[in-house]
Each structure stands twice: as C-alpha cells, then as structure tokens.
Amino acid sequence: MDELATHHSSMYQKSEELFTRAQRSIPGGVNSPVRAFKSVGGTPIFIQKAKGAYLYDEDGNRYIDYINSWGPMILGHAYEPLTKAIKEKVLDSTSFGTPTELEIEMAELIKSMTPNVDLIRMVNSGTEACMSALRLARGFTRKNKFIKFEGCYHGHADAFLVKAGSGLATFNIQTVPGVTGGVACDTLTAPYNNLPAVAKLVSENENEIAAIIIEPVAGNMGCIPPLPGYLEGLREICDKENIVLIFDEVMTGFRLAQGGAQERFKINADLVTYGKVIGGGMPVGAFGGKKEIMQQIAPLGNVYQAGTLSGNPIAMIAGYTFLKALQQNPSIYTELEDKTNYLYNGLNKVLKGSGLPYVINQAGSMISIHFSDQPVIDFATSASSNTQTFSKFFHAMLNKGIYLPPSAFESWFVCNALSKEDIDYTVDAAKESLDEISAQQ
Ligand code: HOZ
C-alpha cells in the first residue's frame, strides 16, 4: 500500500499489538472476515467501547461510527434504556431453553410494527433466518431452485454463497470450497435491478423455482437502491409463477421505516427475514410471514427448524426495549433521513470539488460512495468502481477519526445519535482526505 493507505502507526500501536496476538489464535485475527482490513490494507482497529455516535479504540482514539455494528445501532451505541434492561434481566439467568412470556411480547411487537407478518420465529442470526426462510419456501412450494441476486449477501449458509456480496466481493471469492456443486446448482443468479434477467430465468426453469430472495435495498455491494418498478416487477413475477418472495430485511428492517422496506416501497413480501437490530445488538435473527407458509414450520408442520438459544431472554429484552423505543418515537425516521440527506449534500459538494469520478447512493439512512463514472445499479457497476481510491479514502478518513466500512462493498449506516456537528466534521474530513488523494495523483 502507498503512504496514504497506511496507518499513522503511533496512533494504532495497541491495535497493532493486539492484531499480532489475535492472529496466533483466531483465523486471520478476526471472527468475521469483513473486519480484517484485508482489502484496504493496514491493521484492524480494536474497539474497546462505544457510546452514542462514537467508537473508542484500545489506543484511546475516538471515531465517528458509520458502521454501527453493520446496521443495528440506529439509536447509537450503549443506548441507556437498553443497557439498563439487559442488566436487570440478566439476574434472572441467561437461558432457559423453555418458552417465556417475553417471546410472545416480542412477536406481538414485531407484528404490530411490520406488514405481512402473521407468524414469526426467532433465531440467532441473519444467516439462520435466511437459511430457514429458504428451507421453508422450498418445503411450502415443493420446489428446489431459487433466485438470488449477484452481489446480494444473505449470510453464509451454503446455498447463498454463490456470486455473493459483502466479504466475498471484498476478497474476490468466486467459488467457496466446501459448498458442493449439488447445493450450488439450485442457486440461480441474476443481476440486481434487471427484471428481464429474472423473467428469463423463470421461463427457463418453469415450475422449478421456490423463491426469489432479495435485499430490497442492497447493502452488501455498497448501498444500491432498487430502481423504480423493480420490486413491483418481482412481486408480479412471484404472484404469476407461484414463487415465494423473500425480503431479506436484516439491514433494512426497522431502519428504512418501522415496517422496513416493505413499508417504505409499499411492496408485500411473502416471507421476511430480520437480524441484528431486533436484538438491539445482541445475536438475534427472525423469519416471519404469511400464516399459510409459516404454519409449515415444525411443530405445526414438518419443515424442521430449531434452536436452544432461540428467543434467548437477554436477546429478547434487548430487542424488545430497542424496538419499543423505535415504535414510540416515529419521528426518528424523519430525523435519520434528514441527517443522511445533510451528509449526502455535504459529501456531494466536496466530491464534486475533488474532480474525482464518484457516485453517492442513498436510501433512507443507508448511504455509500463508489469512485465511479457511471451509475452504480448492480454488482458489475459496483465492482468496476475504483476500489484503490476507496482504500485511500478509507484510511485518510480513519486517520481523521471517521470509521467507515473497510470495503467499497458495504453500505454505511447513519445513527440518530449523530449530530449536525459530527456530520460537518465528517464532511470537512472528507474534503481533506480527497485533497490528499488528489495531491498524490
Ligand atoms: N455485510 C455483512 C453484514 N451483512 C457484514 C457483517 C459481517 O459479515 O461480519
């Protein structure tokens, strides 16, 4: 990496020591690949604590956080009602493996906030939610194949690791050893935002497609919103061909609106998956949807799915407290959108002044920059952006106390703890960073 793309090492001494130590006992030194800084270079920053819009690392540096745990920290870190509720609940034990009243309250709360959820099953991650929703769609339709979109990421279950975004795009992993051809051959892929490609796949595989799964706003190839009419078109195809439409709302759920992308775009999904936010940062996921489909799940039906820690009381109290706060303060969504628009306008101004080709994509409080001279609407256009410039930008911003995702293939997430001053600071840092990049070219 060149000079700009490396750390000011004195700032990150403890993180560097910890990373060296971590690599001796954890693969690659991290417990999830996208944390590794492998594509942008340098050493991952080890975080000690966070409050509101800020992260604090082990060296005592403060960062304005634009990852927010990859989405869920909508109200900022260490939100007090949530930490208080967890502290109280934990005294009653951390797990029972039995039903609890809190699980009913959580299910009722989610149903009251989201459209088209008659029944909902708690799991422990977004991966589990998507994996289970796909099995259910297959069990319900008695069909095997499904369509996913290039650059979308639905967790790391085998069937989804085909032309996937997030870490697979970041590290350019085309095929995943361990995912068998037998599994992958039932995964059909189409470019995002391309309805004719979907129609073609459907007609070539008549009566064989169980589901279409989509991130209604893609967040794993940068942020890519759906083009007008695209989600409506998918809905039409699914209705016509008896295909289950699954919205993966792990990122968009409770973020783009209380009712997620379904509410924002006024499209009804048959099944919907949630993660992250519904645990307020604890490890949780869920899948839910129409009764006739959901009642195929065991013990009502034979589509088996289970989990000792599903509906875990600590995760449930965290999620319940967090979602209740969102429900009681609907103005949060306007505030989030206003803040993100303000960030968009500031970034747009300094990027325009930089002379570098760029695209800013935004949907609600999801936003990202691609250094590209063409609209970024799918994986091909995202992948053809200049990732080297992104890496330089990432490090220049990090050195100024702005924490962006360490990859051009991830969305940024804005939280409501962010102040106007934080955004002004971010935009000033972006201007300085872009000046440094331009001076090098
Ligand atoms: N893009 C991932 C979330 N959908 C990032 C989180 C991870 O894989 O660690």
Side-chain angles (χ1 to χ4, degrees):
M1 302 300 292
D2 60 38
E3 202 195 324
L4 244 194
T6 54
H7 294 328
H8 294 194
S9 55
S10 56
M11 267 178 83
Y12 306 111
Q13 198 184 331
K14 238 176 149 185
S15 277
E16 281 167 7
E17 284 164 16
L18 287 170
F19 189 47
T20 305
R21 184 173 147 211
Q23 288 172 90
R24 289 199 284 269
S25 42
I26 301 171
V30 290
N31 278 317
S32 193
V34 297
R35 299 175 194 170
F37 279 30
K38 206 171 153 189
S39 70
V40 291
T43 304
I45 303 302
F46 281 68
I47 298 301
Q48 189 184 65
K49 61 180 181 184
K51 181 73 191 159
Y54 307 124
L55 295 172
Y56 299 87
D57 74 9
E58 291 283 353
D59 288 280
N61 300 308
R62 192 193 83 168
Y63 306 89
I64 301 175
D65 186 10
Y66 286 98
I67 299 186
N68 283 295
S69 191
W70 306 98
M73 298 304 174
I74 294 175
L75 299 172
H77 290 277
Y79 176 64
E80 256 157 53
L82 181 131
T83 52
K84 187 167 169 278
I86 293 173
K87 272 190 211 159
E88 280 168 15
K89 195 74 184 166
V90 81
L91 298 174
D92 294 337
S93 182
T94 47
S95 177
F96 312 115
T98 68
T100 59
E101 187 178 358
L102 185 53
E103 289 164 90
I104 310 171
E105 282 171 8
M106 181 69 168
E108 288 171 352
L109 180 59
I110 293 178
K111 281 176 59 171
S112 72
M113 293 174 78
T114 57
N116 303 308
V117 174
D118 300 326
L119 292 171
I120 183 150
R121 169 66 60 85
M122 288 291 149
V123 293
N124 301 289
S125 67
T127 290
E128 250 190 83
C130 293
M131 180 185 87
S132 307
L134 176 62
R135 181 183 307 139
L136 175 57
R138 284 170 160 167
F140 175 71
T141 58
R142 310 276 161 156
K143 297 187 272 187
N144 291 343
K145 296 184 181 174
F146 76 102
I147 298 176
K148 75 173 279 292
F149 297 95
E150 292 165 15
C152 281
Y153 178 75
H154 306 286
H156 63 90
D158 287 4
F160 297 122
L161 294 183
V162 180
K163 297 197 180 167
S166 188
L168 292 97
T170 303
F171 305 129
N172 195 19
I173 300 173
Q174 311 271 345
T175 49
V176 178
V179 173
T180 63
V183 167
C185 70
D186 284 331
T187 306
L188 310 176
T189 59
Y192 199 82
N193 273 327
N194 185 333
L195 270 181
V198 178
K200 186 164 178 281
L201 278 179
V202 170
S203 77
E204 284 168 357
N205 296 273
E206 216 186 332
N207 291 324
E208 286 187 281
I209 298 175
I212 294 179
I213 185 167
I214 185 161
E215 292 174 67
V217 170
N220 285 291
M221 42 182 162
C223 171
I224 302 188
L227 292 172
Y230 178 57
L231 297 175
E232 289 83 349
L234 293 180
R235 181 66 272 175
E236 253 174 57
I237 290 173
C238 287
D239 285 341
K240 207 164 133 238
E241 305 291 336
N242 188 27
I243 294 170
V244 175
L245 180 62
I246 308 173
F247 269 16
D248 175 346
E249 296 235 38
V250 168
M251 289 180 174
T252 52
F254 304 94
R255 175 171 272 283
L256 295 187
Q258 261 191 39
Q262 287 197 88
E263 180 184 323
R264 189 179 174 98
F265 298 111
K266 300 187 177 55
I267 306 289
N268 299 325
D270 300 311
L271 289 177
V272 57
T273 61
Y274 297 113
K276 309 180 201 266
V277 60
I278 62 164
M282 298 289 289
V284 188
F287 63 102
K290 296 192 175 144
K291 196 171 175 180
E292 53 168 346
I293 309 178
M294 287 301 291
Q295 63 193 9
Q296 304 299 318
I297 282 283
L300 289 178
N302 288 343
V303 179
Y304 201 76
Q305 182 282 327
T308 298
L309 294 173
S310 300
N312 171 271
I314 312 305
M316 290 300 96
I317 198 66
Y320 183 85
T321 310
F322 199 74
L323 294 187
K324 201 80 197 167
L326 295 177
Q327 189 184 46
Q328 285 168 348
N329 300 289
S331 63
I332 283 168
Y333 293 99
T334 334
E335 287 161 27
L336 270 175
E337 188 124 5
D338 288 349
K339 287 178 190 188
T340 317
N341 290 341
Y342 187 68
L343 175 67
Y344 178 103
N345 289 333
L347 290 173
N348 195 30
K349 202 167 158 205
V350 296
L351 279 157
K352 213 175 245 173
S354 75
L356 291 166
Y358 71 94
V359 171
I360 312 177
N361 281 344
Q362 183 200 348
S365 56
M366 295 170 68
I367 185 167
S368 68
I369 294 175
H370 289 89
F371 291 98
S372 172
D373 55 9
Q374 58 178 323
V376 174
I377 56 158
D378 56 15
F379 183 66
T381 46
S382 170
S384 68
S385 69
N386 190 331
T387 51
Q388 274 181 345
T389 303
F390 181 86
S391 298
K392 290 178 187 176
F393 184 68
F394 167 81
H395 278 286
M397 292 292 271
L398 190 72
N399 288 337
K400 294 168 193 48
I402 311 294
Y403 199 88
L404 302 176
S407 164
F409 299 102
E410 300 284 355
S411 180
W412 314 0
F413 297 96
V414 170
C415 82
N416 211 34
L418 203 67
S419 66
K420 188 171 170 286
E421 290 69 35
D422 293 327
I423 300 173
D424 288 339
Y425 181 90
T426 306
V427 171
D428 288 346
K431 171 152 187 7
E432 267 182 59
S433 300
L434 293 164
D435 286 348
E436 287 167 22
I437 293 169
S438 298
Q440 277 201 338
Q441 285 177 339

